[in-house]
């Protein structure tokens, strides 16, 4: 079993203590996003977990406690964009906080275990084609010594994100323009020695030297990280996604970054309620299950969703 921690929220940034309590307890309860009363018990013992993929914009709370994960193989998908607080209001200052955290993490784990994500990419009043080229270059020059790969993707619209992003004045971004920008980003990445891939993109960008991303990749747990086993493709992701099957232990409506493009937060009310119910000692990210919860799974393999 590969754990995803998490596509639904930033666990390292906001829930480090809870996560490490769960590993100590050896299990976590995860509600089904489509049916919260259906709760699954996931075995977190080192024998059950092949590896962990962390997704974060700010791992600073987890950095001093990485030794508590020494029984597990893991790597990080670390998002650093060039957007300001008009887009990512809860993300700390990139130059003062986030980039130093990236560097510190890579120095602890090695550059192969920290993958830089520059996504999602969109155009707006303040964020033009030229803006992305310039600031992607600035970020690449700072991050390239500490990673081997950059993953890009273009914005996918969901009902809640389209509404939240209206004040930004989004610009038309046809596929041919996306391809042209991808080519510029690839040129910059390659000039700094970085491989570049695209996450769940329908376009074939291989002619530009851009691979198809596999963000959850069991091969990354091979070699010094462990012995990789064959894992099926994750059928629950978008059609263009190359990820292997994983078990996500996060919950929607729990991330406080407040990114306007985020698909994982649907309302401020739900976020406030879930944050208020969180307890670091609780078995679920959002506290304790209600007494009427049904269909408790007994193993990590049961009731996949």
């Amino acid at each position: 079993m590969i754990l995803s921690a998490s596509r639904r929220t930033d666990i390292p940034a906001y829930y480090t203590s809870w996560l490490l309590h769960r590993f100590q307890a050896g299990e976590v309860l995860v509600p089904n996003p489509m049916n919260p009363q259906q709760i699954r018990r996931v075995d977190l013992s080192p024998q059950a977990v092949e590896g962990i993929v962390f997704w974060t914009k700010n791992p600073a709370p987890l950095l001093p406690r990485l030794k508590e994960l020494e029984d597990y193989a893991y790597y990080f998908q670390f998002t650093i964009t060039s957007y300001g607080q008009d887009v990512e209001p809860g993300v700390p200052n990139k130059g003062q906080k986030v980039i130093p955290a990236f560097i510190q993490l890579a120095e602890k784990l090695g550059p192969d275990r920290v993958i830089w994500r520059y996504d999602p990419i969109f155009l707006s009043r303040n964020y033009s084609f030229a803006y992305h080229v310039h600031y992607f270059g600035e970020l690449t020059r700072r991050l390239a010594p500490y990673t081997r790969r950059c993953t890009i993707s273009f914005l996918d619209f969901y009902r809640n994100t389209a509404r939240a992003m209206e004040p930004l004045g989004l610009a038309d971004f046809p596929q041919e323009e996306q391809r042209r920008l991808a080519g510029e980003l690839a040129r910059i990445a390659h000039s700094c020695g970085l491989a570049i891939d695209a996450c769940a993109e329908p376009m074939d960008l291989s002619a530009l030297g851009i691979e198809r991303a596999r963000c959850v990749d069991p091969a990354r747990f091979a070699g010094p990280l462990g012995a990789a086993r064959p894992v099926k493709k994750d059928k629950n992701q978008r059609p263009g996604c190359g990820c292997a099957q994983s078990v996500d232990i996060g919950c929607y409506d729990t991330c406080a970054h407040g990114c306007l493009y985020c698909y994982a937060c649907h309302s401020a009310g739900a976020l406030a309620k879930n944050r208020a119910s969180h307890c670091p000692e609780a078995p679920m990210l959002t506290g304790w299950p209600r007494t009427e919860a049904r269909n408790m799974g007994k193993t990590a393999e049961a009731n996949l969703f």
Side-chain angles (χ1 to χ4, degrees):
M1 177 183 62
I2 296 174
L3 290 183
S4 172
S6 154
R7 286 186 176 97
R8 301 170 185 164
T9 189
D10 195 330
I11 290 177
Y14 295 108
Y15 303 109
T16 283
S17 292
W18 172 83
L19 177 75
L20 297 177
H21 270 111
R22 290 298 89 217
F23 281 121
Q24 290 165 13
E27 65 178 23
V28 63
L29 301 185
V30 184
N32 184 331
M34 302 296 107
N35 178 12
Q37 293 191 31
Q38 182 186 39
I39 299 175
R40 176 182 176 189
R41 188 187 304 275
V42 179
D43 184 352
L44 294 184
S45 67
Q47 296 74 29
V49 177
E50 182 79 14
I52 309 163
V53 182
F54 289 108
W55 310 75
T56 190
K57 290 183 171 77
N58 177 27
L62 184 55
L63 282 172
R65 303 185 66 178
L66 289 175
K67 271 193 77 69
E68 296 176 53
L69 295 170
E70 61 187 1
D71 291 335
Y72 299 87
Y74 60 91
Y75 65 90
F76 280 77
Q77 295 280 349
F78 193 140
T79 298
I80 304 180
T81 71
S82 59
Y83 303 122
Q85 291 196 319
D86 58 329
V87 178
E88 299 172 341
V91 177
N93 181 278
K94 308 286 174 64
Q96 296 174 12
K97 300 289 186 181
V98 178
I99 292 173
F102 188 102
I103 293 170
Q104 187 180 351
L105 185 64
E107 287 176 339
K108 286 176 177 285
L109 303 181
D112 291 310
R113 293 170 65 186
V114 185
I115 299 164
W116 171 34
R117 301 183 68 87
Y118 187 84
D119 76 307
I121 302 169
F122 61 84
L123 303 183
S124 71
R125 269 194 306 270
N126 294 330
Y127 302 103
S128 65
F129 187 109
Y131 179 97
H132 281 290
V133 172
H134 176 76
Y135 283 102
F136 181 84
E138 292 295 312
L139 287 170
T140 301
R141 282 182 278 277
R142 294 191 65 177
L143 299 177
Y146 304 99
T147 187
R148 304 276 192 239
R149 176 173 300 273
C150 177
T151 296
I152 63 171
S153 73
F154 296 96
L155 178 69
D156 288 313
F157 279 101
Y158 300 88
R159 189 164 30 186
N160 59 319
T161 59
R163 185 171 59 251
M165 296 182 75
E166 281 180 5
L168 298 176
L170 293 180
D172 190 36
F173 200 7
Q175 195 170 86
E176 57 269 25
E177 194 75 347
Q178 293 181 10
R179 184 182 297 276
R180 191 164 73 89
L181 179 55
E184 289 294 309
L185 303 188
R187 176 185 59 78
I188 293 167
H190 293 152
S191 72
C192 293
L194 289 186
I196 185 169
D197 55 28
C199 176
E201 285 301 324
M203 293 182 288
D204 181 2
L205 300 171
S206 57
L208 302 174
I210 300 175
E211 307 163 28
R212 288 196 179 274
R214 196 179 193 195
C215 306
V216 176
D217 186 357
R220 291 191 173 274
F221 303 119
L225 291 177
R229 299 185 181 92
V231 180
K232 294 179 182 178
K233 186 179 182 299
D234 194 334
K235 295 183 289 187
N236 294 320
Q237 301 302 323
R238 291 169 291 171
C241 179
C243 286
Q245 184 175 278
S246 62
V247 176
D248 200 298
I249 61 171
C251 295
Y252 291 119
D253 293 305
T254 57
C255 182
H257 286 318
C259 302
L260 271 62
Y261 53 72
C262 181
Y263 62 85
C265 277
H266 304 94
S267 75
L271 173 62
K273 178 182 176 183
N274 287 335
R275 295 272 288 163
S277 66
H278 172 73
C279 174
E281 291 79 30
M284 289 195 315
L285 188 62
T286 53
W288 280 266
R290 293 185 298 180
T291 54
E292 66 266 26
R294 299 287 188 266
N295 301 324
M296 185 78 77
K298 290 194 176 180
T299 70
E301 291 77 23
N303 301 322
L304 261 178
F305 53 81

